[in-house]
Amino acid sequence: MSDFGVTHQLVTLDIDFERQLVRGITELSIEPRVSSLGTIRLHCERPVVRSVWVNGQTAEFRRQQVKTRRQLVHKLLRTGDDTLHDEGDLEITVPQGQTGTLKVRIEYYVVRPQSGLVFRGGIVYTETHVNPSSARRWVPCLDDMGERSTWDLFFVVPASVGGEAVTAVASGELSSVVPHPHDVARRVVRYIVSTATAACTLGFAAGPLTGACALGGAGAEAAGGVFAFAPGGRAADAQATCAVVPEALEFYAREFGAYPYATYKVVFVEGLAGVVTCAALTLVGTDVLHGSREIEAAYEARRVLGLAVARQWFGAFVGAAAWGDQWLVAGLAGFMAAQFVRHHLGANEQRYRLKRDMARMCHADVNQKPLSYPEQGPWEAGEAAFAEVKAPVVLYMLDRRMVKGGVSVGLQRVVPGVLVAATGGAAVDTAGFLRTCRRVSGVDASAFAAQWVFASGCPVFHVGYAFNRKKLAVEITLHQESTNARATAPWARAQLFAGQMTARIREADGTPYEHVLDIRREHVGRFEVQFNTKYKRIRRSTRRFHMRQMAAAAEELNINAEVLGLDDEDDSNIALFGAENAAEKRDWRVVEWGEDDEESLASATFEWIRMDSDLEWACVMHFEQPDFMWAAQLQKDRDVVAQLDAVDALQHLPSAAAATTLMRTVMDARVFYRVRADAALALARLATPELAWIGLHHLAKIYKRRFCLPPRAGEDRADAEDISAPRLPRPNNFANIGEYFTQLAVAAALSNVRDRHGEAPLPARRLLLATARYNDNSENVFSDARFLAALVRMLANCVVASKQFAERAVGADDAVLFEIERLRRADAL
């Protein structure tokens, strides 16, 4: 701990955009913590100090040179061991006779800064990393997460640059904008930070940010006002992009704790990569900006801004006590953002993203360092990207264990307590956090943390099962290894994991039964799961059974649709599609389960098994069951994760019946659109000569049925039409977002199909070419720019696969290349 503390700091920055020069004056109110303070040490890496005064007297000062950047930031933020404390590199000698509160005034300047402060595209902004080492590059200060003070920030800027008005946006609350007393061509903008804030969380952006707007809503009122700024007069785009921000603020404040600052501002900066989090301020690249008529960009912007707002609580307001606690700050912000996704976009979207993040984490967690380890330093770029994926997943798993094993609602009771403690200036640390979790839930998380926080790697499970008819039990064998089994890094040791896993068996009577498996730290585990219903074979080989099963699946989806508020008569019988109409079955090449293999279906004793049905393990799960069980799981299990697992399994178990199940999934608008999209892409893998190209047949049929106009002969002859016959696309109508993403997925799947010669087949080319050529967006309320961009990529995918294109031969690719060039010229206009 330092010998003194800063209670208030005033900073004045005079910005010269043309010369990329910043002249600064800062005044610090210092309270000594020792009886006789002879030396003041401040952090001052880049600024060139011209003069220093202490209580109005000139003071001597000297600079300590830092050899390397790594040497500067390797020390811990704040610990009880003073030998690890970063004392700073600007030493100021306190004049004799100066006691009590000290007023230190420093005049300095920064010329053409390369980091910390960036001039780009007529705008200057801070590169804040909510860790010590950023603020010291543009202002002398006590750059320590544990040292907080209130601030006065003054910015002297030109009134205009190039005919555009110039403003400054900074942490804190805007107090005044007044003309400069000595130069009418400039003005002074003042911000007040009334919440005690660490220097490393301050930030600002200044320049011609002419696209400014205020956002309304209950969240904006609770935060004292929400404002967005963008260059080039893009106020409408800023308004559309940030429309989700007030809702996010309101949700976080209601669920976790009050917003800690007076206002909140979002600034879009040209050329900025990623997100810069500052106290009461977020800087985002202009690539996130989008208009009110765009779809894909809105989804990405909501993800980015939802996380950015969460970082106002964990990142800006609450920091890490030490470098080894960085993971906890990133994880808690990600956990909050995931809860907002569930609130804003639904539970299906949240579970889909969680499933994908778990897969990314397991794939990447090889030779990785633990989230927290002794003598840890600041994250490198790659290490930070991995930790920002892993940390929220680890906290999600901890939350599930707390909910199941304790008496609380999990982390949602822990997070508010952490925020309350932070109001006194406390930073979050791993040990204290785990103690809080135990106190709140009664669950000791030390063993969990030892596996997932203080060690690396993820479990890999190989699961097999057998039904014991004598014992009326399912015998499950689980082999465990680690993703670090072949790791070479010294810190990446292979470990075995322990914990409880839920196995769900849907038995013959249609009832799902859950069984808890106690997994131990051993390579092989064997479990005996008792059957709950009297043993009987499931008779699957009759037409009556097929009809009964498909009707049950349809009923399951109807119930789910009612819960979601959907009512589409056209989709009410998709689960029975092709089963009752002989012509429809012939035209669509529908094959039911059991038509090819009646014996295996008739011998089944239960419908399907799901391992880790509650999604409590970030693991690689190798589990095999017959294809018809995966199909039943896809058709009848309402959980999105179960459906995704089934789709993934069926694409690796090619058959005509599997293609039929995937086709019905894509066709059914009641199924979550991301599952439909994955099913469409899976169909492309079933477009093989061994299956008589049934995947291509189904994709072309789906595209024509749902996204094209009927042929002139009439709708009644549409299904009988050959898939190679051309068809005009329907006019664009993207009001149904799920249908829009499904169309993109089916089109992408068509572009991925290859014939025996490695060429894109003619039906796929014709459908995609017609969609691009006759695209009609005249009555669509949404923009089709990204839709056309996707079509260009798909057409290019078809062309690149062509041997004629590789040989520069004239042939069938000419029409595709002509269409791509036409779209390129239209875009240039």
Side-chain angles (χ1 to χ4, degrees), residues 338 341-342 346-364 389-390 392-394 396-397 400 458-459 461 501 609-623 630 633 639-649 651 672 674-675 678:
V341 168
R342 186 182 185 91
N348 284 344
E349 182 72 17
Q350 184 258 342
R351 287 181 66 80
Y352 174 86
R353 294 188 182 193
L354 176 63
K355 176 70 173 176
R356 293 298 181 236
D357 284 345
M358 284 182 168
R360 289 170 57 202
M361 167 183 161
C362 294
H363 177 75
V389 173
K390 182 174 181 177
V393 171
V394 168
Y396 165 80
M397 292 190 292
R400 299 310 304 159
C458 295
F461 296 120
M501 178 184 292
I609 297 179
R610 281 191 63 196
M611 300 299 298
D612 189 26
S613 57
D614 291 338
L615 198 61
E616 297 172 322
W617 287 76
C619 63
V620 179
M621 182 71 70
H622 297 287
F623 175 65
W630 287 116
Q633 178 175 312
D639 185 13
V640 167
V641 175
Q643 295 170 355
L644 291 170
D645 287 341
V647 168
D648 183 64
Q651 70 177 331
F672 184 49
R674 291 194 184 272
V675 177
D678 281 11

Side-chain angles (χ1 to χ4, degrees), residues 541-600:
S541 57
T542 65
R543 178 175 176 80
R544 180 180 301 175
F545 171 80
H546 291 313
M547 301 300 294
R548 186 168 64 250
Q549 288 290 87
M550 289 186 289
E555 181 62 24
E556 295 263 359
L557 287 170
N558 283 331
I559 294 173
N560 199 28
E562 290 175 7
V563 172
L564 296 173
L566 301 175
D567 184 18
D568 191 344
E569 295 181 0
D570 293 337
D571 297 308
S572 59
N573 292 317
I574 289 296
L576 301 173
F577 183 78
E580 300 175 314
N581 186 310
E584 194 174 65
K585 182 175 183 177
R586 181 185 63 255
D587 293 336
W588 282 75
R589 292 172 58 184
V590 171
V591 177
E592 304 294 352
W593 292 103
E595 292 185 12
D596 298 329
D597 183 10
E598 296 184 4
E599 182 177 351
S600 61

Side-chain angles (χ1 to χ4, degrees), residues 253-271:
R254 182 179 68 250
E255 297 293 327
F256 301 103
Y259 179 65
Y261 301 107
T263 60
Y264 180 61
K265 300 162 286 289
V266 180
V267 179
F268 296 92
V269 179
E270 189 75 41

Side-chain angles (χ1 to χ4, degrees), residues 408-483:
S408 75
V409 292
L411 288 182
Q412 287 192 271
R413 278 191 58 188
V414 175
V415 173
V418 174
L419 292 171
V420 169
T423 57
V428 66
D429 68 284
T430 303
F433 175 77
L434 294 176
R435 286 194 300 270
T436 302
C437 291
R438 181 175 183 177
R439 184 175 65 252
V440 169
S441 68
V443 175
D444 186 357
S446 56
F448 173 86
Q451 296 177 117
W452 295 99
V453 178
F454 304 120
S456 63
C458 295
V460 179
F461 296 120
H462 298 266
V463 183
Y465 71 91
F467 181 69
N468 190 319
R469 290 181 173 83
K470 292 183 179 180
K471 296 182 179 180
L472 290 181
V474 178
E475 297 173 340
I476 298 176
T477 303
L478 185 147
H479 296 263
Q480 181 184 169
E481 58 185 29
S482 170
T483 55

